[in-house]
Amino acid sequence: MLQEVAVFIGKKLIRFIALLASVSIITFGLVAMSPIDPVQSYIGADVMRVGAEQRQEIAAYWGLDRPFTERFLKWGAALLQGDMGTSMIYREPVTDVIADRFMNSVMLMAFAWLLSGVIGFTAGVAAALRKDSWLDRIIKSYCYTLASTPAFWVGLLLMMIFAVWLGWLPVGLGVPAGVLAENVTVADHIRHMILPVLTLSVVGIAPIALHTRQKLIDVMDSDFILFARARGERGWGLLFRHGLRNIALPAITLQFASFGELFGGAVLAEQVFSYPGLGQATVESGLRGDVPLLMGLVLCSTLFVFTGNALADYFYRIVDPRLRHGKEERA
């Protein structure tokens, strides 16, 4: 067992390193071909007071006047030494910028991930147990509608209802505006996090609910459930002993595989609510041509999504041993 886990981790590490190299080259190339002038974005509103010589000096300082290959190799060599460069927007090391915003995004995505998983699983079970009833139709309609709804639209709708019309929650930001950092309480952080978390959760409920509903219907119609009923098992005992046990792990696996969608949704939600997380920093760095920060965020998001997919792959191998044995036989 330990040898299988070690082999699995070893293969994943090799793939992760290859993925990081590929993502780095592609992202660096796309940013180099971008029409955004990073020098002009760096100057900002002072563009009319900066001459051509000063623009050249700025480009030379940030290494923007060097060929693409030289810039990429210099960035890669620094990265191997643990230096991700300096952000052109924040004038701080990229690692410090990411560290300042990392916990905000992690807390946001963690709460949204747990909330969407619990509510989606519960809704899926309820829909399956009341198949073709009014409850089933309501849950399916809700899921089909939200499955085709973009996260930013849901965020704007929630903001309009709960922040603008009702005034129950703040419109945006991570903390109250004009309040010193030492005076910001935990309750303030939670109040500013509620709407972004709800936005991500509402959108994330649909996939897990529909998957759970269909899997539980298949399980309850299977032969071993018929055999269990013939033995006299009924009600919640039958559901917990034979139904939920067979659908819980696939549902958890599906949740881990949704890390990529979760991070993409967080980028939009943070932008809508001006929430100071990695998503908002990603948009700013992309629009203003901040190559070091954008590369650092891309690598960070790659690690996040790869970890989720690796965990999902591992759980799939636990759920269905045929995947593991099939690969071993082919090898």
Side-chain angles (χ1 to χ4, degrees):
M1 183 65 182
L2 290 177
Q3 184 180 1
E4 291 181 1
V5 173
V7 171
F8 177 80
I9 294 175
K11 289 181 179 179
K12 288 297 179 184
L13 280 177
I14 295 173
R15 292 177 182 174
F16 180 61
I17 294 171
L19 178 64
L20 280 184
S22 303
V23 168
S24 300
I25 295 173
I26 294 173
T27 306
F28 213 95
L30 290 176
V31 174
M33 292 187 291
S34 170
I36 298 175
D37 184 358
V39 176
Q40 187 167 338
S41 299
Y42 177 80
I43 297 170
D46 298 327
V47 63
M48 300 301 294
R49 292 183 291 181
V50 177
E53 292 184 359
Q54 290 175 301
R55 293 175 66 94
Q56 291 178 356
E57 291 178 358
I58 293 173
Y61 177 80
W62 291 104
L64 300 172
D65 57 342
R66 300 294 181 184
F68 168 79
T69 306
E70 182 179 340
R71 279 188 289 148
F72 179 75
L73 292 177
K74 184 178 179 180
W75 174 82
L79 180 65
L80 293 176
Q81 298 175 358
D83 181 11
M84 303 181 78
T86 302
S87 168
M88 296 173 63
I89 300 175
Y90 299 97
R91 321 289 170 84
E92 295 178 9
V94 170
T95 50
D96 292 347
V97 176
I98 293 177
D100 289 340
R101 294 166 174 263
F102 180 75
M103 284 310 299
N104 289 337
S105 288
V106 167
M107 294 296 291
L108 174 67
M109 289 188 284
F111 281 119
W113 187 78
L114 288 174
L115 203 59
S116 63
V118 172
I119 296 177
F121 185 78
T122 306
V125 171
L129 294 179
R130 296 289 184 269
K131 182 184 176 185
D132 296 331
S133 66
W134 61 269
L135 179 62
D136 183 30
R137 286 193 289 273
I138 290 176
I139 292 175
K140 283 196 298 182
S141 300
Y142 169 84
C143 293
Y144 288 144
T145 302
L146 287 181
S148 57
T149 304
F152 73 90
W153 188 86
V154 176
L156 291 173
L157 186 64
L158 293 176
M159 179 193 296
M160 188 178 299
I161 295 174
F162 294 102
V164 178
W165 291 349
L166 300 177
W168 292 350
L169 296 169
V171 175
L173 303 177
V175 294
V179 178
L180 296 176
E182 56 267 25
N183 296 330
V184 177
T185 63
V186 177
D188 292 330
H189 285 285
I190 294 175
R191 289 188 73 244
H192 283 75
M193 193 189 298
I194 289 177
L195 284 182
V197 167
L198 282 179
T199 301
L200 291 177
S201 302
V202 167
V203 176
I205 286 173
I208 189 69
L210 292 174
H211 175 270
T212 302
R213 174 188 177 277
Q214 190 57 47
K215 290 291 291 184
L216 186 57
I217 289 174
D218 294 341
V219 169
M220 298 306 284
D221 290 339
S222 60
D223 292 339
F224 70 89
I225 291 293
L226 181 63
F227 179 72
R229 283 175 174 156
R231 293 173 53 191
E233 297 188 43
R234 293 286 188 278
W236 291 104
L238 176 67
L239 174 66
F240 281 107
R241 190 172 297 112
H242 301 289
L244 298 185
R245 277 188 178 182
N246 286 284
I247 64 170
L249 200 50
I252 294 173
T253 304
L254 180 66
Q255 269 297 88
F256 278 109
S258 67
F259 272 23
E261 299 172 6
L262 182 65
F263 192 89
V267 171
L268 298 175
E270 290 178 8
Q271 192 65 18
V272 169
F273 294 101
S274 298
Y275 191 80
L278 295 178
Q280 191 187 40
T282 303
V283 174
E284 289 183 3
S285 60
L287 294 177
R288 300 180 62 178
D290 190 345
V291 180
L293 179 58
L294 182 61
M295 293 300 297
L297 291 168
V298 167
L299 296 183
C300 185
S301 62
T302 303
L303 172 63
F304 180 77
V305 175
F306 186 86
T307 302
N309 289 334
L311 290 173
D313 191 16
Y314 181 72
F315 284 126
Y316 268 128
R317 293 163 65 89
I318 294 177
V319 173
D320 191 352
R322 291 174 298 178
L323 293 175
R324 182 173 62 252
H325 296 319
K327 291 180 179 179
E328 290 174 354
E329 288 174 2
R330 286 195 297 272

